[in-house]
Amino acid sequence: MSELKYLSGFGNEFSSEDPRCPGSLPEGQNNPQVCPYGLYAEQLSGSAFTCPRPTNKRSWLYRILPSVRHKPYTAMHCGNLTENWDEVEPDPNQLRWMPFTIPKSSEKKVDFVTVKHNPSFTQSSGFTWCFNNSDGDFLIVPQQGEILITTEFGKMMVEPNEICVIQQGMRFSVNVFGETRGYVLEVYGAHFELPDLGPIGANGLANPRDFLTPVAWYEDREVATGYTVINKYQGKLFSSQQSFSPFNVVAWHGNYTPYKYNLDNFMVINCVAFDHADPSIFTVLTAKSSRPGVAMADFVIFPPRWGVADHTFRPPYYHRNCMSEFMGLIKGHYEAKEEGFQPGGGTLHSTMTPHGPDRDCFEKSSTALLKPERVADGTMAFMFESSFSMAVTKWGLETCQRLDKSYYQCWEPLRKHFDPNWRPSKQ
């Protein structure tokens, strides 16, 4: 939908009103006695009221009816969603999942929220459900198929090689166009921000102006059968009914918004002399912990770039990390494991679990002619990295039947090159 419009910038103080209702934003105050057009004023707070100004997040929404008008929430069947981390024993092994299959049109439908049979939703028929996460933020990474995300703030079209963030408490619905698959990272207790640049300087990595926020769009619609609002709260799903569209916000202003970003806009920083720089140079977004320099979660990408380092083994080095690393592949082939790791699949290397290039990658790169070369053309891999250990559910280890139990074998052919008689060559 190329006609969709966006506001540019990361964390900016934005204001927007649907052009069908000019002047719907109050002037000079947030909460007038009577709002323009007879709207209700409602604040959405993404931080404590008393947070320092640089970290204070809130938006004011001017809507046809307030979100408080709904029937009581009732518990839902949560499907594969679980908070029981004791179903299976911890597993410190290297884990890899094959791409998840997409149900055929003749099979039962799945949706973004419940992954079970549901009516299919189309833009023409309108949405009859929405979702909000009361627990944390969602970072959504489409891998196949574009998705139209309708939010209280407006609409975003998000395609593979783009990401979007729906922050805590924001209501949204997802519309798909054909076969669709992707990844979601959820963070609690902190919002994503741009990493500090330090010696890099004022520019580089993900530039603020490339982040896009939707403009106001509303629907004034009631449905006799009701809308379903699904709320993820304390790890469980609850549903509530209301008669009117949750996307009835005519105007809004603030700095607490959903947003999207095109990964092609990332300005790569890389080594230009020798050695392999740490993957932190590819950080797009970070959710900081209370410890300086340690993230609850980083979103890192491995985009197309030049490799020019001399006297260097250029692929990722063998590694044991105090952080947990989940990797996904949007398209192409990952340079350290060109076989087995497929788009739509994933790997998890938990805290202190060793990992690194497979045998073919090691042998090839150890003898390669070190000339300038393009790396990862046609590829986009990413990593969710966290200072926390990542538990895997019983569904992920057993029920899904996509776990590649032969993953460890990609390192089995590594052979010993040790030569106790080696001496430096004379110059």
Side-chain angles (χ1 to χ4, degrees):
M1 297 181 65
S2 58
E3 68 272 15
L4 292 182
K5 296 181 179 180
Y6 300 93
L7 304 167
S8 170
F10 186 88
N12 289 14
E13 189 73 30
F14 292 117
S15 62
S16 183
E17 59 184 25
D18 192 304
R20 291 172 288 177
C21 294
S24 48
L25 273 173
E27 294 185 6
Q29 65 179 122
N30 295 323
N31 192 22
Q33 185 178 23
V34 179
C35 292
Y37 292 91
L39 298 171
Y40 287 85
E42 178 179 294
Q43 183 173 227
L44 179 62
S45 294
S47 66
F49 297 143
T50 52
C51 274
R53 185 179 287 267
T55 58
N56 202 295
K57 295 181 178 293
R58 63 89 180 93
S59 286
W60 280 91
L61 312 177
Y62 301 92
R63 57 195 323 151
I64 297 168
L65 281 171
S67 57
V68 71
R69 204 188 105 173
H70 64 82
K71 304 296 184 184
Y73 282 105
T74 57
M76 292 179 61
H77 173 64
C78 293
N80 297 318
L81 183 68
T82 183
E83 57 178 12
N84 182 7
W85 303 112
D86 297 324
E87 288 182 305
V88 292
E89 293 294 320
D91 191 336
N93 288 301
Q94 303 93 349
L95 301 176
R96 178 167 69 189
W97 288 267
M98 306 303 289
F100 285 83
T101 56
I102 300 174
K104 303 299 182 183
S105 58
S106 59
E107 300 174 358
K108 66 180 182 179
K109 303 293 185 188
V110 297
D111 67 36
F112 180 83
V113 178
T114 54
V115 196
K116 65 177 182 180
H117 180 69
N118 268 286
S120 59
F121 303 112
T122 64
Q123 184 185 4
S124 59
S125 63
F127 296 108
T128 56
W129 66 268
C130 77
F131 182 79
N132 76 270
N133 184 359
S134 294
D135 295 334
D137 293 5
F138 278 151
L139 189 157
I140 301 172
V141 185
Q143 182 269 319
Q144 177 177 328
E146 58 188 10
I147 56 176
L148 175 64
I149 300 182
T150 301
T151 76
E152 296 172 280
F153 295 78
K155 297 184 177 186
M156 297 185 293
M157 183 67 80
V158 188
E159 302 176 358
N161 221 50
E162 294 184 317
I163 61 169
C164 73
V165 173
I166 309 292
Q167 302 195 75
Q168 183 182 12
M170 296 176 180
R171 294 181 171 181
F172 68 101
S173 288
V174 178
N175 194 5
V176 303
F177 307 89
E179 296 184 344
T180 307
R181 181 172 57 196
Y183 308 81
V184 178
L185 170 65
E186 183 179 15
V187 297
Y188 309 92
H191 299 296
F192 287 106
E193 54 188 278
L194 296 178
D196 296 327
L197 294 177
I200 292 174
N203 307 288
L205 309 187
N207 288 307
R209 72 170 187 168
D210 293 323
F211 288 81
L212 302 178
T213 291
V215 298
W217 175 88
Y218 77 91
E219 64 174 4
D220 181 12
R221 190 162 71 95
E222 298 197 14
V223 174
T225 56
Y227 286 80
T228 300
V229 178
I230 300 173
N231 181 13
K232 180 178 176 293
Y233 176 75
Q234 295 187 16
K236 297 184 180 296
L237 297 181
F238 298 84
S239 65
S240 173
Q241 300 294 315
Q242 62 186 54
S243 61
F244 60 95
S245 170
F247 308 117
N248 65 352
V249 177
V250 177
W252 60 267
H253 77 87
N255 64 350
Y256 189 55
T257 69
Y259 54 87
K260 74 169 192 169
Y261 175 74
N262 189 325
L263 301 180
D264 283 338
N265 291 326
F266 188 81
M267 178 182 167
V268 180
I269 303 294
N270 206 356
C271 176
V272 294
F274 61 88
D275 281 352
H276 183 100
D278 295 328
S280 50
I281 62 172
F282 302 122
T283 302
V284 180
L285 292 169
T286 184
K288 294 179 179 178
S289 74
S290 58
R291 291 181 290 165
V294 180
M296 288 199 310
D298 283 331
F299 175 65
V300 178
I301 63 173
F302 301 96
R305 59 199 183 275
W306 281 97
V308 298
D310 288 326
H311 313 293
T312 296
F313 181 78
R314 289 178 177 176
Y317 41 77
Y318 293 99
H319 192 201
R320 288 182 294 163
N321 193 355
C322 64
M323 309 280 275
S324 297
E325 303 178 14
F326 175 89
M327 284 197 64
L329 186 60
I330 298 173
K331 60 181 179 178
H333 300 277
Y334 182 55
E335 59 182 303
K337 297 180 187 69
E338 293 194 5
E339 301 296 331
F341 186 28
Q342 302 173 29
T347 64
L348 175 60
H349 303 131
S350 298
T351 302
M352 293 303 176
T353 295
H355 54 281
D358 61 19
R359 193 278 304 269
D360 290 344
C361 177
F362 179 82
E363 298 293 343
K364 177 182 176 181
S365 298
S366 297
T367 58
L369 177 63
L370 294 181
K371 59 182 180 180
E373 62 178 340
R374 289 291 295 170
V375 177
D377 271 343
T379 291
M380 185 62 75
F382 70 87
M383 180 166 66
F384 299 150
E385 186 175 48
S386 176
S387 57
F388 298 115
S389 293
M390 294 185 186
V392 183
T393 64
K394 182 178 180 180
W395 182 85
L397 285 175
E398 301 174 8
T399 313
C400 73
Q401 298 182 341
R402 303 304 294 166
L403 187 66
D404 180 3
K405 295 183 180 180
S406 66
Y407 181 32
Y408 74 96
Q409 294 177 359
C410 74
W411 293 288
E412 289 291 292
L414 287 170
R415 58 189 179 91
K416 185 167 62 174
H417 292 278
F418 175 65
D419 179 3
N421 298 314
W422 178 88
R423 296 292 182 272
S425 60
K426 295 182 179 180
Q427 301 295 327

